[in-house]
Structures are given as C-alpha cells and as structure tokens.
Amino acid sequence: MTRELEYAYGVVRDTGAPDPLPPGVLGVAGGPVRAVRHRGLAVLASPVPAEEFEEGPLRARLEDLAWLEEVARAHQRVVNAAGAVGCVVPVGMATVCRGEEGLRRMLEEGHPRFTGALDRLEGRVEWGVKVYAGPAGAETAAGGPAPAPAGPSPAPPGAAAGAVSGRDYLRRRTAQRRAQEQRWQRAEDGARLVHETLAGLAERARLHPPQDGRLSGVTDRNVLNAAYLVPHEHSEGFARRVRELADRLAGLRVELTGPWAPYSFVAPDPADRARAAS
C-alpha cells in the first residue's frame, strides 16, 4: 500500500508539548498540521493529495503560478504560526516525504544541520528591507536637484536656427544622461548607507539579488534587497531606525517587512563553517 504523502514546513525542538501550533492553523490543501517527532526534534507536516504532489504532477504544478502562490501562502502561514510560538527552521517549499517514516528519515539525516540552526537562531527573527529609487521627479519634491530643462534654449539673434537646435538637442541629451547617472549614484549611495547602518544593528545580514520589476510588478528600481537577523528584544529599535532612515533619504522609498522566521539564515555563514572545521 502506498504511504500517504506528507508536506513538511519546518523543524522545531521537541518540547513535549502536545501541539506546537495555535489551534486552527491549516496547511497546504487545507490539511491539518501536526508534529512528527524524532531525537529531540519535531517536523511540522500535513497530508497532501498524491494527484498534486507526486513527483510527476508536482513538476507540472510548479509551472502554475497561481497554484504556486496558494502553496506559498499556506507554507508561510504555518511557518509564521510556528515562529510566533518559538524558534522554527523553515524547510524549502514543496518538500514532500512518504509517510511519517519519510519525515523521521529527514530529521535523522538532517539532525546536525537542524540542531545547529536552532542553536544559532533561537530568540532571533528576520527583518526584510528593500530600497527603491523613485521616479525622476521625486527628489525635486523633497528639495533635491531639479531635472534638466525639458526644451531647447532660445536661439541667439541672427543664429542659424537649425544649427543651434541641433547643438542644443545634443547638449540637452547630455545633461539628461548626466542627471540620470547622478540620480542612480545617489540611489546607490543611499542604499549603501541603509545597509551599513542596519548591518551594524543586526547580528547577521544577507544581501539578496535586486527584485525584477517584471516579476514583482513594482516599477521603481530596486537598489537594495536585504535581510537582517535581529534578536527579538532589539526588534522595536531596529524597526524605528529603518523608519528614521526612510525619512532622511529624499528620492528613495524604504520598505520594511517582518518580523519573519529566519529563512535567510538557516544556512550558516562561511565564517561559521570555517570555525567549526578548525
């Protein structure tokens, strides 16, 4: 008989509590979430239908963006609920095992990695910060430099109109290009200030690739996409500092999200691995 497929969300310490989640939290496909325990750890999991999550159907479903979004929301919902109670190490989306035996095998094979991550991340949360360069007129409204003139300068008396217009067009295009380069440089400098300031307040920081506006639907240019690992007790001060930076930076939009389970910090830093190996 084929064993039931189980969808895994994250790993927590086995504290002996009968239910590691608040009541009423449902997982992917509306399945009830429970803890499967092994050697001091517990994996949060729920049953999922084979017609969607067997290897073949799952591969096809991963091309369905609407289905993916629904699964991602359910996955995040369970991880967030677990993170509100205690430390959780999220596992990758669409991690599926065969029955409880498969879940326990995952805990056994990943035991050193899971316990190490729980030790490092206990009492800490992840904050996400994105910085966007706004439209060209944003700096002017905030008192920044004015854009280059939109039209050509008037021709001096007696000058050949065509020649002056051609020169003025080139001059105007050069000025516009220089203003654009200066605007991007100010945006990069502002993003660097934000990251260096916040990295100094966090225990760890991760820089992610800038978001592609074609996928996110955001038209402003993403100049910083970062995650910061912050102790629970320092979270209020961290969020306040982000708001202060946002108020200071003309022409930039600063977006703060969180606190989240520390997805970006499950893997140890290279420096941590080097110390462990020495």
Side-chain angles (χ1 to χ4, degrees):
M1 178 176 166
T2 302
R3 283 167 291 186
E4 191 171 44
L5 294 182
E6 299 282 349
Y7 185 106
Y9 301 91
V11 175
V12 299
R13 297 188 193 277
D14 181 8
T15 62
D19 191 347
L21 289 180
V25 178
L26 298 178
V28 172
V33 181
R34 70 195 190 288
V36 176
R37 306 164 197 273
H38 180 70
R39 290 184 58 198
L41 300 176
V43 56
L44 305 175
S46 67
V48 288
E51 60 268 22
E52 293 185 42
F53 287 90
E54 281 282 9
E55 184 177 356
L58 178 58
R59 191 180 301 113
R61 289 278 189 171
L62 292 176
E63 304 296 324
D64 183 341
L65 293 182
W67 183 88
L68 269 179
E69 182 178 0
E70 183 179 344
V71 170
R73 288 183 185 279
H75 185 108
Q76 186 72 50
R77 182 170 61 243
V78 173
V79 172
N80 286 349
V85 176
C87 186
V88 56
V89 176
V91 300
M93 195 179 79
T95 297
V96 179
C97 299
R98 290 205 175 275
E100 292 191 0
E101 181 182 336
L103 292 169
R104 291 193 176 93
R105 186 182 306 113
M106 183 185 78
L107 290 177
E108 178 65 32
E109 293 174 354
H111 199 274
R113 177 169 58 88
F114 291 133
T115 54
L118 287 164
D119 290 342
R120 284 185 289 103
L121 302 177
E122 186 72 47
R124 294 156 178 83
V125 294
E126 176 175 328
W127 288 91
V129 176
K130 295 183 179 68
V131 177
Y132 297 93
E139 289 181 333
T140 305
S153 303
V164 173
S165 296
R167 285 197 303 270
D168 200 67
Y169 171 79
L170 293 175
R171 189 181 304 117
R172 186 173 73 253
R173 293 295 295 168
T174 300
Q176 289 172 340
R177 184 169 58 252
R178 187 178 299 118
Q180 179 82 322
E181 291 170 354
Q182 291 172 347
R183 189 166 73 89
W184 290 138
Q185 186 59 55
R186 285 191 294 271
E188 296 289 349
D189 291 344
R192 188 177 304 108
L193 171 65
V194 170
H195 178 61
E196 290 176 353
T197 302
L198 298 181
L201 300 176
E203 289 190 356
R204 287 181 171 85
R206 289 276 194 275
L207 287 172
H208 299 305
Q211 280 194 330
D212 187 335
R214 293 170 298 181
L215 300 178
S216 66
V218 177
T219 56
D220 293 344
R221 179 179 175 183
N222 182 210
V223 292
L224 177 68
N225 182 14
Y228 303 91
L229 186 68
V230 179
H232 276 291
E233 62 270 21
H234 297 163
S235 281
E236 184 176 342
F238 183 88
R240 183 169 58 250
R241 190 70 177 107
V242 174
R243 290 191 292 270
E244 291 170 355
L245 288 166
D247 290 341
R248 283 177 52 190
L249 295 170
L252 297 181
R253 179 167 60 86
V254 182
E255 178 184 281
L256 174 68
T257 60
W260 310 110
Y263 280 91
S264 300
F265 302 95
V266 171
D269 287 335
D272 294 333
R273 287 195 291 266
R275 283 193 294 269
S278 61

